[in-house]
Amino acid sequence: MSATTKKILVVNSKGGCGKTTIATNLAVAFANQGVKVSLLDCDKQASCSHWAEERGAQAPKVNTVASYHSADKLTAQIEQELNQHTDVIVMDATGSHTDTALFEAALKDSELVLIPMLASSLDIKAGERFIADLMTHRVMRATPKPIGVIYNRAQSTSANQQRLEDLLRCLDVPVIAELRDLSVYAKAAEIGAGIMEMRENAAASNEYAAWRDIMLWIDRRTANRRELPRPIQAGRKVSRTDQNQSRVS
Ligand SMILES: Nc1ncnc2c1ncn2[C@@H]1O[C@H](COP(=O)(O)OP(=O)(O)OP(=O)(O)O)[C@@H](O)[C@H]1O
Ligand SMILES: [Mg+2]
């Protein structure tokens, strides 16, 4: 069993918000760091599995597994990955029904949750409901885990973005990165790649800073879990980081 495997759940109830795009790009980013990564396809649409069929044999390996058949199968698969010392498990899941056994198993076996969100008014309403469902879910209450929102197809000037930021501030959920609306994401998906592998594309290269933010957030959050809690010095103001650490530890 590996105690150091990172287990990342990418989920939202809203269709088309970028779950598969983010899960596949994340898996590719890790694979290109030379670590052993598995992408568990927990959505019956099987988009990750279709993506993997297009992935070239020469590309850094992303072990993609159809894990959407049942909760038991998903749990068994995760156990197998841990036994095989997989470094990173990325799960692509739909959160349209948070009361299903499959959703529960994915949540239970993850250590942090990434929520892609678009900033249309319908996406914001659905996202608010989803985050509330997630935060009050019995698995989350029993084993709290960090949640980070990835603002996808960002339009920095839109009024909706301001609404989204206000909402997330109220819920105390951070936006960890903003991804631009770029056709290179669709191009990468068509060939079973991630934008990290399209270095010749200027738009893709300009997006790498956002992906570094995502990787850094994941590293910090998974490292926190393994660190002993640090005592807070008397008189020092409790920072947001300290608060978040104590919440997830
Ligand atoms: N940042 C982006 N820029 C441009 N296109 C994007 C971006 N993110 C996602 N897309 C495109 O939006 C569409 C939906 O994305 P994706 O399939 O990742 O969403 P999803 O949440 O997995 O959807 P579903 O609910 O159907 O599983 C795809 O065509 C994808 O290429
Ligand atoms: Mg999908």
Side-chain angles (χ1 to χ4, degrees):
M1 279 274 195
S2 172
T4 56
T5 308
K6 295 183 202 302
K7 293 173 284 180
I8 303 158
L9 176 62
V10 184
V11 69
N12 192 344
S13 59
K14 197 79 172 77
C17 62
K19 299 176 292 291
T20 302
T21 302
I22 288 168
T24 52
N25 275 279
L26 195 55
V28 164
F30 279 113
N32 278 271
Q33 287 183 344
V35 304
K36 190 174 172 189
V37 54
S38 285
L39 177 60
L40 305 191
D41 192 351
C42 308
D43 185 342
K44 287 189 173 62
Q45 283 188 110
S47 299
C48 287
S49 308
H50 295 143
W51 170 87
E53 284 164 16
E54 304 302 325
R55 188 158 177 80
Q58 307 304 318
K61 188 169 168 59
V62 174
N63 176 40
T64 308
V65 186
S67 302
Y68 44 76
H69 298 290
S70 72
D72 288 347
K73 179 149 188 224
L74 173 62
T75 304
Q77 185 62 43
I78 291 170
E79 205 172 312
Q80 190 179 325
E81 299 296 337
L82 297 181
N83 285 332
Q84 291 173 352
H85 301 282
T86 299
D87 296 303
V88 182
I89 297 172
V90 179
M91 289 175 260
D92 175 17
T94 171
S96 51
H97 299 287
T98 52
D99 54 353
T100 63
L102 187 63
F103 177 85
E104 263 196 51
L107 185 58
K108 199 168 167 195
D109 275 320
S110 62
E111 64 180 309
L112 55 83
V113 184
L114 298 180
I115 304 179
M117 273 185 80
L118 306 179
S120 79
S121 59
L122 293 182
D123 281 82
I124 293 171
K125 284 198 179 93
E128 181 174 11
R129 176 79 193 267
F130 177 70
I131 293 173
D133 283 354
L134 184 65
M135 285 174 137
T136 52
H137 196 285
R138 64 193 173 92
V139 170
M140 203 68 165
R141 280 188 281 125
T143 49
K145 20 200 133 213
I147 301 173
V149 163
I150 298 176
Y151 179 30
N152 193 22
R153 308 183 91 157
Q155 300 155 351
S156 52
T157 53
S158 87
N160 279 334
Q161 178 174 357
Q162 194 55 52
R163 276 184 57 205
L164 176 57
E165 284 172 7
D166 292 346
L167 163 70
L168 295 173
R169 202 170 304 115
C170 286
L171 295 171
D172 201 16
V173 171
V175 176
I176 60 171
E178 293 184 8
L179 302 181
R180 274 172 275 199
D181 192 337
L182 300 175
S183 57
V184 70
Y185 280 107
K187 283 186 196 137
E190 274 167 26
I191 57 169
I195 66 159
M196 285 285 171
E197 295 169 324
M198 302 180 82
R199 289 177 190 278
E200 71 294 345
N201 183 304
S205 306
N206 287 335
E207 190 77 339
Y208 292 168
W211 280 95
R212 273 195 294 276
D213 287 346
I214 296 172
M215 303 293 273
L216 205 62
W217 188 82
I218 291 170
D219 275 351
R220 288 205 181 119
R221 288 342 214 154
T222 48
N224 282 348
R225 174 173 59 82
R226 290 166 200 118
E227 274 174 12
L228 290 172
R230 279 172 298 172
I232 295 167
Q233 290 160 16
R236 186 161 70 82
K237 197 171 165 217
V238 179
S239 69
R240 202 173 152 125
T241 317
D242 292 326
Q243 288 172 343
N244 288 343
Q245 276 178 354
S246 58
R247 195 176 318 126
V248 299
S249 58

